Amino acid sequence: MPAPVVEPGEFAFAATSLDHGHVYGMCEGLAGAGGTLKWVHDPDPARVEAMRRKFPDVRVARSEAEILDDAEVRLVAGAAVTSERCALGLRVMEAGKDYFTDKAPLTTLEQLAAAREATARTGRKYAVYYSERIHVEAAVLAEQLVDRGAIGRVLQVMGLGPHRLGTGRPDWFFEKEKYGGILCDIGSHNFDQMLHFAGAKDAEVSHAAIANYHHPDHPELDDFGEAGIVMDNGATGYCRVDWFTPDGLSTWGDGRTIILGTDGYLELRKYVNVGTGEGGGHVFLVAGEGEHHLVADGKAGFPYFGQLVLDCLERTENAMTQEHAFKAAELSVLAQQQARVLTP
């Protein structure tokens, strides 16, 4: 299991723009790797108080500038409104700090160009919390199996990302200019996984479609999206994302990934094993030596966070390359832009 990679106080970080709940998982992951959350900032006192309940020793910053001016802060984590994440990252990097953002990391190709230019010029990191891979033990175990050659060469990666819409979503969540569209938003998880599991560096979007099938009260919401890609090593990828998790499911979404290789295949049941009363963390491996059911939760851990901390300290790229983080974002934006709009 991953262990802290630094001593207490050796890696100070801050959190700001707490618009999405993923920021808590981001901070918990960094803290688990030994990082120290020094500052928190947000204009909403309720969000700040929620962070303080999880991190009682954190200091409340009076402004974003107070965080950026602190020389001890090495990294700033943020989960701003999606369309504002790039601008925040540019400010963080210009201040000489590394940036860790929730997915999707940006919403336009213009933002992507600005982020690429800033990382190249400043040497700072624009890290992305693709949580459905880096913060899910089934995905961590699957990566280990793929790396060990358990299924041979990967030929295709299929991802299913259903989510529950629920209630209480903020207004910006339903404004396409702000959340970027479903393939840009939750689809970004899948583009990350397709590239990563297939070991690809680039890809082309071969098919994309979006729809608003069942939410006329929110006309800018995509409640369904799908996309296919062909990667530079010949592997293909497909993803389907939607907001149609039924009330009867015991969790927010039945996220699954199927990885086909030349010598076998993997199925990941990330959050629930439907109908069994079991939670998630299941990996099914079928290969030449038989069928295997592996339970990952509590056994694989989350090595990404320790790797990111060390990458920031040592200026390496072991957690995730900058180009991979940007390529997944680029494909997300391109798929959204190219998507055929399906009519109910």
Side-chain angles (χ1 to χ4, degrees):
M1 290 290 288
V5 297
V6 291
E7 298 297 324
E10 188 178 349
F11 185 85
F13 68 98
T16 187
S17 300
L18 316 180
D19 294 272
H20 196 292
H22 279 168
V23 72
Y24 301 104
M26 297 161 67
C27 291
E28 289 166 354
L30 291 169
T36 301
L37 180 59
K38 182 176 181 180
W39 294 103
V40 62
H41 171 260
D42 192 274
D44 186 341
R47 294 176 187 160
V48 172
E49 187 56 34
M51 186 66 77
R52 292 185 66 193
R53 286 195 293 270
K54 292 182 178 290
F55 298 91
D57 296 329
V58 69
R59 298 166 64 180
V60 178
R62 291 165 293 183
S63 66
E64 179 187 292
E66 189 168 12
I67 290 172
L68 299 183
D69 290 340
D70 186 344
E72 291 186 355
V73 173
R74 295 179 177 272
L75 176 145
V76 177
V81 173
T82 315
S83 60
E84 299 171 10
R85 290 172 186 169
C86 180
L88 172 59
L90 297 179
R91 296 194 299 272
V92 169
M93 291 187 292
E94 294 295 347
K97 305 182 188 306
D98 292 315
Y99 179 49
F100 186 29
T101 180
D102 188 17
K103 67 77 220 162
L106 43 83
T107 57
T108 69
L109 294 178
E110 290 76 17
Q111 292 174 9
L112 176 62
R116 278 188 162 132
E117 187 279 331
T119 56
R121 176 170 47 80
T122 66
R124 297 292 98 190
K125 296 184 181 297
Y126 194 114
V128 183
Y129 183 62
Y130 292 120
S131 59
E132 292 187 16
R133 176 172 64 84
I134 66 174
H135 220 167
V136 171
E137 284 184 282
V140 174
L141 179 56
E143 176 182 359
Q144 295 170 354
L145 291 168
V146 169
D147 288 346
R148 294 171 188 169
I151 61 171
R153 181 167 63 92
V154 172
L155 305 176
Q156 185 188 53
V157 182
M158 297 178 62
L160 304 179
H163 286 58
R164 177 175 287 136
L165 190 59
T167 59
R169 299 278 182 177
D171 291 343
W172 66 264
F173 180 84
F174 300 100
E175 299 176 33
K176 188 163 288 189
E177 183 178 355
K178 293 184 177 180
Y179 79 91
I182 195 169
L183 291 174
C184 175
D185 179 24
I186 56 178
S188 63
H189 285 298
N190 299 91
F191 291 106
D192 161 68
Q193 291 172 87
M194 289 186 281
L195 290 171
H196 183 78
F197 288 129
K201 297 184 181 303
D202 200 358
E204 294 183 358
V205 177
S206 58
H207 161 77
I210 55 175
N212 182 327
Y213 282 129
H214 195 59
H215 296 86
D217 50 331
H218 296 296
E220 293 189 36
L221 176 70
D222 302 329
D223 59 22
F224 175 91
E226 65 175 5
I229 62 173
V230 177
M231 291 175 263
D232 58 0
N233 58 4
T236 64
Y238 171 82
C239 69
R240 190 207 77 213
V241 288
D242 65 75
W243 292 102
F244 288 111
T245 293
D247 292 341
L249 190 72
S250 58
T251 188
W252 55 267
D254 185 12
R256 301 194 183 199
T257 304
I258 299 174
I259 307 170
L260 174 66
T262 53
D263 302 326
Y265 65 89
L266 294 164
E267 180 185 349
L268 285 58
R269 301 182 187 177
K270 296 180 178 179
Y271 312 113
V272 63
N273 196 13
V274 172
T276 66
E278 301 172 334
H282 299 271
V283 176
F284 296 88
L285 165 64
V286 181
E289 68 275 16
E291 305 169 0
H292 307 275
H293 176 194
L294 310 174
V295 178
D297 283 5
K299 299 177 182 177
F302 310 111
Y304 170 87
F305 298 96
Q307 292 169 348
L308 176 61
V309 168
L310 293 178
D311 282 346
C312 293
L313 293 174
E314 300 170 1
R315 311 319 296 169
T316 50
E317 279 195 327
N318 295 315
M320 182 186 302
T321 68
Q322 187 62 76
E323 184 51 35
H324 173 91
F326 282 152
K327 182 57 64 173
E330 179 183 358
L331 291 170
S332 306
V333 174
L334 288 172
Q336 185 72 41
Q337 290 181 348
Q338 298 173 20
R340 175 183 178 183
V341 179
L342 306 175
T343 303

